[in-house]
Amino acid sequence: MTDFATETFQAIQHTERERFIASHPQSMALARSAQQHYLFGVPLHWMRDWPSPATLFVAHAQGASLTCADGVRYADFCLGDTGAMFGHSPAPLAQAIARQAERGLTCMLPATNAAAAGELLANTFGLPMWQMALSASDANRFVLRWARAITGRPQLLVFDGCYHGAVDDTLVDMDPMTGHTLPRSSVLGQVHNHAAFTRVVPFNDLDALEAALKQGDVACLLAEPALTNFGLVPPEPGYWEQARALCHQHGALFVCDETHTISTALGGYARAHGLEPDFMVVGKAVAGGLPCAVYGFTQAMAERMAQAKNAAPEGHSGIGTTLAGNALTLAALQASLEHLHTAANYAHMLGLATVLEKGLSERIAAAGQPWTVTRLGARMELQFMPKTPRNAQDVRDHAQGELEELTHLYMLNRGVLLTPFHSMMLVSPATTLGDVARLLSVFDDLLAALRAHPGPQAPARASRSS
């Protein structure tokens, strides 16, 4: 790490904060006003996690651009942290929602397009059977109940640094010294010992995975194909082929959470790479950003699920919510699968993402910075470390929180929006070559401002402060 004057770095931070305050009077005023009725001044407290003096208040979002209350237009590479992966309010989606709104919102009964939407799900993601939920958190929670019910096993297995939404069982950490599971200290209101029923292993470590599985009590491995929320950590070549075989050998189900990795290719990472999961969860972008998630499963799983449900007494299963599968969401899902999840959209996204990755990598090399760019389809991370991380501990050891926050604020002040929790950039079908050029130009300015120094070392900060 090169020596960079703390005073200089702090001066840049101060200048950028003052620039935001001066150019965003309406957002500053709205932030003060919202304090009267919202905890921390925002409808969801994650919204305060941006590294700006106040949260940016949005007036309009369309395609790959966003306009704030002060009339500033941004090239949006955050895209609702994947929720708007296909762009903000695509016309086919908006039209489908408007049409359905006139015909009914929710009835707790299937709409007439349910069968058609189910067929589209099967054709897009490659699994025959499906159920709906309102969020990936819910879908993951429901799948864990199914997995434990049909296997009769209590244990869940996840990767260190994983993110599967607000699922209590997954909000645990791994002690790097002992490998034991620990309750996550940041989780509020915790009374149940989920660490007793969840094992955590490092990603890309087959020996640790086998050791956790061979005890014979793991119901399922719940995993993203690549870690996406603790910095982007891709699987090593051949990892999933062997990991999948280990799950099968030891009788554990494989649940693939594709909520963030559907950026990889049409149908997601699992389909593109032949992972053949027992269950798949897709949320956020699956219905174009409307609150919706789905979980799919094989015919063999469906038979075991039906057997478990039929053998249980009548009453609430702990699976499902009243609004899941409502008519409005189903209409949005069908429109998204027909018009957004297309080969043409992915061709545009992947092609432009390649241009962005190349542009960032060339600039990093020319500046002599010890940074890297890791890409997964239409999504990539600017990582302030010399090489792509192999696991979550690599991120902890090398991440530079202060430099990351400065990067976000510097780009935001120049009309480019990155994901606030980490330096993620996502390319949508609405993103243009001009948007990419704008980001690269601002990145040039940032490199010049830093005078080819990476900034002070700082500990990694959690991807979600919730």
Side-chain angles (χ1 to χ4, degrees):
M1 182 67 65
T2 55
D3 185 22
F4 183 70
T6 301
E7 294 81 4
T8 303
F9 189 81
Q10 290 177 343
I12 298 173
Q13 287 178 313
H14 177 76
T15 298
E16 293 305 315
R17 290 180 64 84
E18 291 300 311
R19 178 170 176 156
F20 179 92
I21 292 169
S23 59
H24 295 84
Q26 291 301 317
S27 279
M28 297 297 295
L30 286 168
R32 290 191 294 270
S33 178
Q35 292 281 347
Q36 299 178 51
H37 302 293
Y38 292 110
L39 180 67
F40 303 116
V42 285
L44 170 65
H45 65 275
W46 293 4
M47 294 176 177
R48 68 184 181 133
D49 286 358
W50 298 78
S52 47
T55 302
L56 200 68
F57 281 74
V58 178
H60 181 75
Q62 184 67 53
S65 68
L66 181 153
T67 303
C68 72
D70 292 281
V72 180
R73 179 192 173 278
Y74 300 87
D76 187 1
F77 288 88
C78 171
L79 294 167
D81 193 17
T82 306
M85 186 180 80
F86 295 109
H88 296 288
S89 195
L93 178 67
Q95 292 161 8
I97 291 172
R99 286 194 300 268
Q100 186 58 48
E102 295 181 344
R103 298 199 296 260
L105 303 179
T106 185
C107 305
M108 211 171 72
L109 288 166
T112 55
N113 64 330
E119 184 175 0
L120 286 166
L121 284 168
N123 291 340
T124 301
F125 297 108
L127 286 170
M129 304 297 290
W130 293 86
Q131 289 279 271
M132 294 183 64
L134 288 177
S135 69
S137 293
D138 274 351
N140 280 319
R141 194 177 293 115
F142 300 157
V143 170
L144 292 184
R145 282 194 178 274
W146 283 120
R148 283 169 167 154
I150 66 180
T151 63
R153 294 178 170 188
Q155 288 289 332
L156 166 66
L157 184 59
V158 297
F159 290 121
D160 183 30
C162 72
Y163 182 71
H164 300 289
V167 181
D168 283 357
D169 305 71
T170 68
L171 298 177
V172 292
D173 290 319
M174 186 185 75
D175 185 331
M177 301 300 295
T178 66
H180 295 158
T181 305
L182 301 173
R184 185 169 296 173
S185 59
S186 62
V187 176
L188 301 175
Q190 187 71 282
V191 293
H192 301 291
N193 184 16
H194 294 287
F197 295 96
T198 302
R199 295 191 187 123
V200 187
V201 296
F203 194 51
N204 281 319
D205 188 333
L206 288 168
D207 290 339
L209 180 66
E210 183 171 24
L213 288 169
K214 69 180 182 181
Q215 299 178 51
D217 56 356
V218 173
C220 68
L221 168 64
L222 172 59
E224 296 182 284
L227 299 185
T228 64
N229 200 66
F230 208 88
L232 185 55
V233 183
E236 294 182 334
Y239 175 78
W240 273 116
E241 182 181 7
Q242 297 178 71
R244 185 72 182 91
L246 285 171
C247 287
H248 182 75
Q249 176 185 342
H250 295 287
L253 305 178
F254 171 39
V255 181
C256 186
D257 185 350
E258 288 265 25
T259 296
H260 284 274
T261 56
I262 59 168
S263 66
T264 306
L266 179 61
Y269 189 102
R271 188 161 201 187
H273 293 270
L275 299 193
E276 298 183 350
D278 297 298
F279 287 87
M280 175 190 292
V281 170
V282 190
K284 290 191 179 181
V286 72
L290 203 72
C292 176
V294 294
Y295 59 98
F297 36 96
T298 65
Q299 188 64 47
M301 292 300 105
E303 292 170 3
R304 295 173 70 179
M305 293 159 73
Q307 183 179 17
K309 181 69 176 78
N310 292 336
E314 288 295 322
H316 199 286
S317 62
I319 298 170
T321 55
T322 302
L323 295 179
N326 68 76
L328 185 67
T329 298
L330 197 59
L333 176 63
Q334 181 179 6
S336 296
L337 293 170
E338 288 178 343
H339 301 288
L340 305 183
H341 295 259
T342 66
N345 275 347
Y346 273 91
H348 176 90
M349 294 159 65
L350 300 180
L352 209 51
T354 301
V355 174
L356 178 55
E357 177 192 26
K358 183 174 183 288
L360 290 170
S361 298
E362 288 176 347
R363 285 160 171 79
I364 290 168
Q369 292 286 9
W371 307 339
T372 192
V373 178
T374 301
R375 182 164 76 92
L376 189 70
R379 175 193 181 110
M380 70 195 72
E381 304 270 358
L382 170 61
Q383 295 170 318
F384 298 111
M385 56 191 74
K387 63 180 181 179
T388 294
R390 184 174 183 267
N391 51 45
Q393 193 57 46
D394 281 351
V395 179
R396 295 186 185 99
D397 292 341
H398 293 97
Q400 300 180 62
E402 290 183 10
L403 180 55
E404 186 176 282
E405 291 189 0
L406 176 61
T407 298
H408 291 157
L409 182 56
Y410 190 96
M411 289 198 163
L412 185 150
N413 277 338
R414 289 154 185 82
V416 176
L417 203 67
L418 305 184
T419 298
F421 311 108
H422 40 91
S423 297
M424 187 270 282
M425 288 153 274
L426 183 61
V427 174
S428 79
T431 305
T432 67
L433 191 59
D435 294 326
V436 169
R438 185 178 185 183
L439 187 155
L440 292 174
S441 176
V442 175
F443 190 59
D444 284 333
D445 294 341
L446 174 63
L447 288 169
L450 291 172
R451 301 190 188 120
H453 290 279
Q457 182 84 29
R461 65 181 185 137
S463 296
R464 291 285 192 269
S465 69
S466 59

